[in-house]
Amino acid sequence: MSFIKNTMVEAEKTEYSMADDAAYLAQRLCEFDRLENPVWVWDFDSTCILWCNDSALTVWQADSKEQLMRRNMGSDMSPSVSKRLNQYQTDFGKNKTVKFREVWTVYPNGKPKTLNVVYSALWLSNGRLCMLCDSSVEKAMDADTLRSAEALLHTSVQISLFSSSGVPLYRNPAARNNALGGDNTLEEHFADSDLLRQLNDLEQDEIEAITSVNTVNGVVWHDITARRCLDAVSGEAAWLISEVDVSRLKATEERAQFFADHDILTKLPNRSYVSNYFQKQIDEVLDEGKSGYLVFLDLDNFKYVNDSLGHDAGDQLLVEVASRLKSIASSDNSVARLGGDEFLLLLCPTDNENQFEETLRNILGVVSLPVILHGRELQVTPSVGVASFPYNGTKIAELMRHADLAMYHAKETGKNDFAFFSKDLSDVVDSKMNLVSELRFALKSGQFETYYQPRVCVESNSIVGAEALARWNHPTRGVVLPDTFIPVCEESGLIAELGKLIFTQAVIAQRIWAEKGNDIRVSVNLSPLQFNEESLVDDLLKIVDQHGGNPKKIELEITESVLMGHDECTIEKLHRLVQCGFEIAIDDFGTGYSSLAYLHRYPISCLKIDKSFINQMDSAKPIIELIVSMAKLFKLYIVAEGVETRYQLDLLQSYECEEYQGYLFHKPVVFDSFVTLLSGSADKAA
C-alpha cells in the first residue's frame, strides 16, 4: 500500500477526469483484484466508488465495475453517514497516515451487509483525496451487536469515552460532529462547567447534570450522564459520557421564567421577582454592614387617565414611567412593577441621607415630566413612600408594608411628594388590627357568603363548572371583595377557618346542583397557608362526608407558590388528594414560579391563565401560546380567567382554550342566582 501511495504522489501532476482516475487506479491497484477481501476506493467529492476489486462486486451486488462506478451513492445516503464520511475526509486531511477500523452495515439494493472495514487515505495523482476501503464480511456478529453498532452511528445522542485523565478515547459520529476538535479533552469540553469537579470526585460512579459545554457551535446546554467504567482496550479507568442537546428546552424554560418574573407590559421585574431577588440584594447590603431604602411609588390620579383616554393610553403611560424609573435606578433589576400603577425601587447602599433625598426629588421630577398620550399632553405626578433597612425592617415583606404605608401618607398629605415610614404611622397598623377583630366577628356571625362565577365551555358557551368565591357582607360597607380581607386573613391566621367555610358551602352547592340534574364541577381556592396544614386532607374529606359531597366533582385551586419548594410533603399531599378523587388546578398560572419541570412531577389536571395575560392579549400572546402548548404536552385542560370582551374569547378559541370565566358571560352571583343561570344554560344547550 505504501508503494502504491508513494508512486501516486510522485507522479506527474496533471488534470484527470473521473474516468482517467479510474484507469490510473486500475493499472496500479490490479493486484487487489487477486485479494479475497472486498476492496474499493471511495471518492469523497463525487460520492461514488472510483474503483473496486472483483470481491467488492459481490458485496455491492453489481454486475460489473463499470456499473458500480456509475452508482451515485450520495442520492439516498443518510445524514449521519454523510457526516461520518465528512469526518473521515477532515481527519485524513490532518493526518495522512491515520486509519479507522469500524463495523459498517451497507445496503446494496436494500439488503443489509455487515462489514468490518479498515479506512485509510488515498491521494490521487492530481492531489485529490479519496479513501481506500479494505473490508471483510462479518459473519459471527449477533443481532444486538449489529443494531448497537448502527445505533452508535445514526443516533443524535453524543457518546464519548474519555480516559480518567480526560483524554478522548472514542467518540461516535454525533459526538465528533460537535466536538471542538478531535483531541479536545474533558477539561476543554467542560471548561465553563462545574462538572469537572464532580468527575474528579472519586466517590461518585455516576453523574447526571444539565450543564454548558464548549462545541463547534459555541457554548450550548447538554443533558449529561457520565458513568465510571473500564476501557475495553487498555483495561484502565475511563468515563463513558452520553450527551443530549437540550439548548431549546433550556431557552424555553428561561423564556417562561422571564415571563414569570417580569411584567408583560413594562418588561420590569414583577412581584414574584421582588419576593425572591430583592430580599437577596437586601441581605447582601446588610452583610456588608450598610443600609439602603425601599421606595414604593404610586401614580396620582392614574384612574383618570384610564377613564378619560382609555386603557391603551394608560398602558402607554405605564411603559413611559417604567422607562424613566429605569434611567434613575442603578440597574434594570432594582426597579419593579407590582401591578396597576404601583412601582418599587431598591436603592442601596446609601451613606448620605441628604443625597438620597435629592434622589427622591429627582424621581418626583422625572416621573412628573409631561407625556404625550393620544395627541394630548398630560402630566401625572407620583406619591412616594420610603422604608429604610435595617431601621424599618430587614425582610422584604415588612419593608414593602412600611413603604406602602408611607406612600399612602404622602397621598393623604397632598400627593406629588415623598414620605418616610415612622412610628407615627402605626395608627394604620392599628386599623389593620381592628380589621382583624371585625373579621373574627364576621366569621362567627355568618357574614361571609359564597358567590359562584360560571366556568363556561368556549365552544358551546354553556356552563360546565363554577368557581367558589368568598364575599363579606359587611353590616355598614356592603359587599366587600376578597382583595380587602384575604391578605389580612392570611396574616392573622384566619384563612384556614374562612377556607373551610367556603369549601363547605361549595360542597353543599355542588350536591344540590347535581340532584337537580346539573352535575357540574365546582372549584375552590386553597391558600398556601391552608394547603400547608397537616390535617388538610382529613378536614376536606370530613366535610365531604358530612354533607354528602362528591370529591370527583370538586377541583382544588392552588397557586404556583405552593409548588416552589418541590418538597416530598407537597408531592405526597397532592397525590393523596387526587387518590381521594379531587382534581388539582394551578390558579393564576404564569404569574409565579413558572417552571416546565413541575408540570409532569405533580398530579395537575388544569391550568388557569391569569387575567393579567387576558387583559393584555396582544402583548401576552407569546406566553399564552406557550402555556397552551405546555398544557397540550402534559394533557392538561386550560381555563382563561377574566374574559371581558368577545375579542378576547375569539382569540382564546383560536388558541384552542377549553374553558373561560369572566364578566363577558356573567359576574359572580349568589347560590340562587347561579341556579337560575344553570337553568338558562341548560335551555340554551338543549
Side-chain angles (χ1 to χ4, degrees):
M1 176 61 201
S2 60
F3 168 76
I4 296 170
K5 187 169 73 169
N6 291 337
T7 302
M8 296 175 64
V9 172
E10 294 169 2
E12 181 181 356
K13 304 291 186 179
T14 58
E15 291 293 324
Y16 285 89
S17 66
M18 187 178 295
D20 293 331
D21 282 333
Y24 182 83
L25 287 170
Q27 294 173 11
R28 290 162 175 77
L29 301 176
C30 59
E31 66 230 53
F32 284 101
D33 280 326
R34 296 192 293 273
L35 295 178
E36 292 184 4
N37 286 351
V39 179
W40 65 91
V41 175
W42 174 259
D43 185 359
F44 290 111
D45 297 334
S46 60
T47 63
C48 67
I49 290 177
L50 199 60
W51 176 89
C52 72
N53 66 358
D54 290 338
S55 298
L57 294 177
T58 303
V59 170
W60 291 102
Q61 297 186 13
D63 296 332
S64 66
K65 296 179 181 179
E66 290 75 19
Q67 182 192 71
L68 181 58
M69 290 161 58
R70 286 196 300 270
R71 289 185 188 176
N72 179 10
M73 297 189 176
S75 60
D76 59 351
M77 184 181 295
S78 70
S80 56
V81 170
S82 178
K83 289 179 181 179
R84 186 58 170 150
L85 292 174
N86 289 337
Q87 289 170 359
Y88 290 147
Q89 189 175 16
T90 301
D91 291 339
F92 290 147
K94 296 178 180 178
N95 186 349
K96 295 181 180 180
T97 63
V98 69
K99 291 185 179 182
F100 297 97
R101 293 176 175 84
E102 294 187 357
V103 175
W104 276 64
T105 300
V106 296
Y107 299 87
N109 298 327
K111 297 181 180 179
K113 179 79 71 174
T114 302
L115 306 170
N116 203 322
V117 191
V118 177
Y119 299 110
S120 56
L122 186 63
W123 296 86
L124 302 185
S125 58
N126 63 350
R128 193 150 56 93
L129 173 62
C130 292
M131 183 168 67
L132 181 66
C133 309
D134 184 1
S135 70
S136 59
V137 177
E138 190 66 53
K139 297 180 180 179
M141 192 173 292
D142 59 62
D144 286 344
T145 304
L146 281 174
R147 287 167 180 152
S148 65
E150 281 288 276
L152 280 173
L153 174 66
H154 292 283
T155 183
S156 61
V157 178
Q158 302 167 40
I159 300 178
S160 309
L161 187 69
F162 289 88
S163 70
S164 57
S165 62
V167 175
L169 303 175
Y170 167 80
R171 285 190 176 97
N172 76 334
R176 287 176 55 83
N177 193 54
N178 284 274
L180 282 172
D183 299 325
N184 73 307
T185 63
L186 268 176
E187 185 175 358
E188 294 168 326
H189 192 52
F190 298 121
D192 299 323
S193 168
D194 188 48
L195 191 64
L196 280 175
R197 181 189 58 78
Q198 298 180 57
L199 292 174
N200 291 327
D201 185 352
L202 297 178
E203 294 183 359
Q204 296 194 68
D205 291 326
E206 181 172 317
I207 297 170
E208 293 182 358
I210 295 179
T211 186
S212 59
V213 297
N214 296 318
T215 71
V216 291
N217 299 315
V219 177
V220 298
W221 287 89
H222 281 183
D223 190 341
I224 307 288
T225 300
R227 293 182 177 88
R228 198 183 296 278
C229 63
L230 297 178
D231 176 20
V233 176
S234 66
E236 296 180 353
W239 281 104
L240 180 63
I241 296 180
S242 64
E243 306 177 54
V244 177
D245 193 328
V246 292
S247 298
R248 290 186 178 179
L249 177 60
K250 189 72 175 177
T252 301
E253 282 191 319
E254 289 176 353
R255 185 182 178 204
Q257 189 61 55
F258 178 85
F259 280 120
D261 286 340
H262 290 77
D263 170 52
I264 294 176
L265 178 65
T266 63
K267 304 302 185 292
L268 290 178
N270 60 14
R271 186 180 293 271
S272 174
Y273 183 97
V274 166
S275 298
N276 292 313
Y277 297 103
F278 272 29
Q279 183 65 60
K280 292 181 181 179
Q281 296 179 58
I282 291 170
D283 291 342
E284 289 173 1
V285 173
L286 294 176
D287 288 343
E288 295 174 359
K290 298 181 179 179
S291 60
Y293 294 93
L294 192 69
V295 178
F296 199 115
L297 183 147
D298 182 273
L299 299 179
D300 300 327
N301 303 318
F302 177 73
K303 186 176 183 297
Y304 167 78
V305 177
N306 279 335
D307 292 345
S308 60
L309 299 181
H311 288 278
D312 287 343
D315 289 347
Q316 291 180 36
L317 175 60
L318 293 173
V319 171
E320 176 62 25
V321 171
S323 177
R324 294 178 182 183
L325 292 176
K326 284 195 292 185
S327 69
I328 298 172
S330 57
S331 71
D332 289 349
N333 290 333
S334 60
V335 54
R337 181 191 175 203
L338 298 180
D341 59 330
E342 296 178 341
F343 295 86
L344 201 67
L345 293 91
L346 185 63
L347 303 178
C348 54
T350 56
D351 299 320
N352 189 316
E353 186 171 332
N354 292 331
Q355 185 178 359
F356 174 67
E357 291 192 8
E358 186 62 33
T359 299
L360 292 176
R361 293 188 186 92
N362 187 30
I363 291 173
L364 294 176
V366 169
V367 174
S368 300
L369 290 174
V371 59
I372 304 298
L373 298 175
H374 290 190
R376 294 177 57 182
E377 182 178 276
L378 292 178
Q379 184 179 24
V380 179
T381 60
S383 291
V384 174
V386 182
S388 64
F389 54 89
Y391 310 108
N392 300 142
T394 59
K395 300 302 181 184
I396 185 64
E398 181 183 20
L399 290 168
M400 286 176 64
R401 287 197 302 270
H402 291 170
D404 189 20
L405 290 173
M407 182 274 295
Y408 276 108
H409 181 69
K411 277 190 179 296
E412 292 169 359
T413 55
K415 303 180 180 179
N416 192 23
D417 200 357
F418 59 84
F420 289 85
F421 175 80
S422 67
K423 297 292 185 180
D424 295 337
L425 298 177
S426 59
D427 290 343
V428 178
V429 178
D430 291 339
S431 68
K432 280 192 175 182
M433 294 178 64
N434 293 333
L435 180 57
V436 170
S437 297
E438 284 190 86
L439 288 169
R440 292 187 190 279
F441 179 78
L443 283 166
K444 292 179 180 179
S445 59
Q447 293 179 11
F448 283 100
E449 184 178 11
T450 302
Y451 278 51
Y452 301 92
Q453 181 160 45
R455 269 179 38 178
V456 186
C457 174
V458 171
E459 288 295 330
S460 65
N461 210 39
S462 59
I463 297 175
V464 294
E467 179 179 0
L469 301 168
R471 296 292 186 266
W472 180 11
N473 293 319
H474 195 278
T476 59
R477 287 186 281 171
V479 177
V480 180
L481 297 180
D483 289 348
T484 301
F485 58 82
I486 290 294
V488 180
C489 285
E490 290 179 334
E491 290 180 12
S492 61
L494 296 174
I495 193 66
E497 185 178 352
L498 176 60
K500 290 177 185 177
L501 173 65
I502 301 303
F503 181 81
T504 301
Q505 294 181 2
V507 168
I508 295 172
Q510 198 285 325
R511 188 202 69 210
I512 295 174
W513 296 332
E515 291 171 351
K516 294 184 177 182
N518 294 295
D519 194 15
I520 63 174
R521 179 185 294 109
V522 61
S523 59
V524 184
N525 291 278
L526 295 180
S527 78
L529 293 175
Q530 187 181 4
F531 181 87
N532 289 332
E533 288 193 329
E534 291 185 9
S535 62
L536 172 71
V537 180
D538 293 335
D539 290 343
L540 297 184
L541 288 176
K542 183 178 179 180
I543 293 172
V544 169
D545 290 340
Q546 285 179 343
H547 299 281
N550 180 6
K552 294 182 179 180
K553 289 297 182 178
I554 299 173
E555 183 179 76
L556 304 175
E557 296 187 15
I558 60 175
T559 60
E560 293 174 274
S561 61
V562 171
L563 309 178
M564 285 180 64
H566 303 291
D567 59 282
E568 294 304 320
C569 291
T570 299
I571 296 175
E572 182 181 352
K573 184 174 291 186
L574 287 174
H575 278 287
R576 188 180 170 198
L577 287 168
V578 171
Q579 290 168 2
C580 294
F582 299 107
E583 291 192 353
I584 307 298
I586 303 298
D587 193 22
D588 300 335
F589 185 77
T591 61
Y593 183 73
S594 297
S595 170
L596 297 174
Y598 69 66
L599 290 181
H600 68 83
R601 190 177 183 191
Y602 297 107
I604 299 163
S605 58
C606 172
L607 299 182
K608 301 190 74 175
I609 304 176
D610 186 66
K611 63 182 180 181
S612 62
F613 300 130
I614 305 303
N615 292 338
Q616 304 289 336
M617 285 289 281
D618 293 329
S619 59
K621 181 179 179 182
I623 192 168
I624 294 176
E625 291 179 337
L626 177 62
I627 292 173
V628 173
S629 298
M630 290 163 59
K632 289 180 179 178
L633 179 64
F634 295 107
K635 295 182 173 57
L636 311 176
Y637 62 92
I638 290 286
V639 180
E641 299 179 296
V643 178
E644 297 182 357
T645 67
R646 183 69 205 185
Y647 171 73
Q648 293 171 343
L649 182 59
D650 290 341
L651 282 180
L652 290 170
Q653 191 167 18
S654 70
Y655 296 151
E656 300 182 7
C657 179
E658 287 93 344
E659 299 177 20
Y660 78 94
Q661 60 188 69
Y663 280 19
L664 176 64
F665 186 88
H666 212 283
K667 64 182 181 179
V669 294
V670 296
F671 175 81
D672 291 340
S673 298
F674 192 84
V675 172
T676 303
L677 288 177
L678 279 175
S679 301
S681 178
D683 295 340
K684 187 175 182 180

